[in-house]
Amino acid sequence: MYAQMVKSEATQEDPEKLTAFQARIDAGEKIEPKDWMPEGYRKTLIRQIGQHAHSEIVGQLPEGNWITRAPTLERKAILLAKVQDEAGHGLYLYCAAETLGVSRDELTEMLLDGRMKYSSIFNYPTLNWADMGAVGWLVDGAAIMNQVPLQRTSFGPYSRAMIRVCKEESFHQRQGYDAIRKMAEGTPAQKKMAQDALNRMWYPSLMMFGPSDKDSVHSEQSMRWKIKMNTNDELRQKFVDQTVPQAEFLGLTIPDPKLKWNEERGHYDFSEPDWAEFHDVIRGNGPCNTDRLAARNKAWEDGRWVRDAMLAHARKKAARKIAAE
Amino acid sequence: MTRDEALVQGLVRLGDNTLIIGHRVSEWCGHSPVLEEDIALANIALDMIGQTQLWLGLAGEIEGAGRDADTLAFHRDAWDFRNLLLCEMPNGDFGRTMMRQFLFDAWHSIYLGRLLKSSDARVAAIAEKASKEVAYHLERSADTVVALGDGTPESHDRMQAALDYLYPYVGEMFLSDEGDAVLAEAGIAPDPASLREEYDALVGRVLDKATLSVPENRYAQKGGRTGTMHTEHLGHLLAQMQWLQRAYPDATW
Ligand SMILES: [Fe+2]
Ligand SMILES: [Fe+2]
Ligand SMILES: [Fe+2]
């Protein structure tokens, strides 16, 4: 997902407090920033919300890649608005993380020096215009699978951020589907672009949900804390079940020869993505890892003089105001 | 030049300005100095593209040759573009982008202000919508120019350099030709030359607060709004912007 393989922190605290805390969560209460919370809960959330925020920010790059080449004024406007929304999501999420006592600048530094991750999906390239449709349809689609349940997460600010984000994400998904539909129903060249986009994006989209439950080490504690609401495999299955009929409607072929409706299970059977590739991408060896981080680092470095100047001007202005009083 | 010909040209000039500077601003997406700026720049670009649809849409309609806003945007070559040269100048650093935006917004807001009273109701209606957006752009770009001009010694030097670099492209905003005369005569649009004083006063106030000095050289680079000589930059911009439409002309998107 946007937050993948988030390590949950062990907690060693007063067992009574921990029991009372767990009882609040079990009762469906929201935990607010000023409430007592276990250190592990706080740290896990910082990691998860931070990673989610970073994903929104880095996620601007693969789509930003096509803004200047969008084929119509309307498509350009839709794409610009979407990328702008993603930056806004980053902003809400950094704000939610800040309530846990970590600043946006600190989180940014950790992204830039590689201590924190972002979703593996954004380390794949966007190579043709249909990718803009496929990203909305599949990537925003997969994000929604995870984020809709997170609207009920136990941490108040995170839950509220997810409620705002989800509204926009479902809009993105519909627009993405509309864009790729136009391609799939278009000329042979457009159809080819659409199929090519699906071929490249399918398995990376499945990877977004993280490793299979049997290999997922951090889930249990996070699920008890209602930081994670469903298992990776549950969400992946739900995503496949939802997406297959949509691909059929488009007349596109999902690149999985084993994909088949299983009457007994009431779900599609499908091939797992290549988990070795997933771990490679997480380790920094994806096709775009180096470029994505370099682009973020460059933006941050190039922008330093601007941030310094804004701060210096604000200080001077405040000083002048005091002097005038 | 007939009234309609002058009007189409005037509308294309407005639409090309917003299209080209909007394209430039959109190049920042995901690369700006702070997240708030990413959002703000995307917002400006979005407004510019929206205004382009309106101006070029109306131009195509009045022209009556079956060209819509997209055809005009994606299927003309550089010599048919009528934007101010300022709009096509490359972004440079963030300071230069904001200086370009400010110099443009200041002119744009004054020009649109006059269009509110246009004798052509269609023009006045678009100006009404656009001028609200542009008032906000101007407020923001002026504040940024002041903050960066006044900020640190480094930012001051960068902003002065940006102003020195871009100032030769200001004069073109106030050059009038036959088409402008026709539009002014019909009460459709102002005579560009008549806006200079107001512009100089507005820009002077802001640059003063920004502790920047207006360059003395008033030489004006020109050729954008007449299409006679664009900069070398425009061709590259169009190559990127128009590539898909040109490579797949039979596609709908
Ligand atoms: Fe998002
Ligand atoms: Fe997203
Ligand atoms: Fe999204």
Side-chain angles (χ1 to χ4, degrees), chain A residues 82 86 89 140 169 172:
Chain A
K82 177 181 196 271
E86 306 300 3
H89 298 169
D140 289 79
E169 298 296 13
H172 297 165

Side-chain angles (χ1 to χ4, degrees), chain A residues 263-275:
Chain A
E263 195 61 58
E264 217 170 292
R265 292 201 307 126
H267 291 293
Y268 282 94
D269 291 336
F270 60 96
S271 303
E272 294 271 313
D274 177 353
W275 291 113

Side-chain angles (χ1 to χ4, degrees), chain B residues 10-23 48 52 81-88 104 107-108 225:
Chain B
L11 293 167
V12 167
R13 283 172 172 170
L14 285 161
D16 285 350
N17 282 339
T18 52
L19 174 61
I20 300 301
I21 201 169
H23 180 102
M48 292 289 101
T52 303
F81 273 78
R82 293 290 179 271
N83 57 283
L84 297 164
L85 296 177
L86 179 73
C87 298
E88 68 198 50
F104 177 72
W107 171 83
H108 203 198
R225 74 192 299 277

Side-chain angles (χ1 to χ4, degrees), chain B residues 36-77:
Chain B
E36 285 81 353
E37 290 301 332
D38 268 326
I39 295 172
L41 290 170
N43 189 51
I44 293 171
L46 203 48
D47 287 345
M48 292 289 101
I49 299 308
Q51 292 176 23
T52 303
Q53 288 174 295
L54 298 173
W55 292 127
L56 293 185
L58 182 57
E61 201 181 303
I62 295 171
E63 183 191 50
R67 298 199 289 181
D68 62 8
D70 280 332
T71 316
L72 287 168
F74 295 99
H75 290 281
R76 281 179 300 151
D77 204 342

Side-chain angles (χ1 to χ4, degrees), chain A residues 68 76, chain B residues 18-27 237 240-241:
Chain A
T68 57
K76 195 190 284 283
Chain B
T18 52
L19 174 61
I20 300 301
I21 201 169
H23 180 102
R24 282 292 186 223
V25 173
S26 78
E27 291 172 1
L237 185 156
Q240 192 170 60
M241 186 177 87

Side-chain angles (χ1 to χ4, degrees), chain B residues 143-157:
Chain B
D143 283 352
T144 309
V145 164
V146 169
L148 298 180
D150 174 63
T152 62
E154 181 187 359
S155 72
H156 178 273
D157 291 352

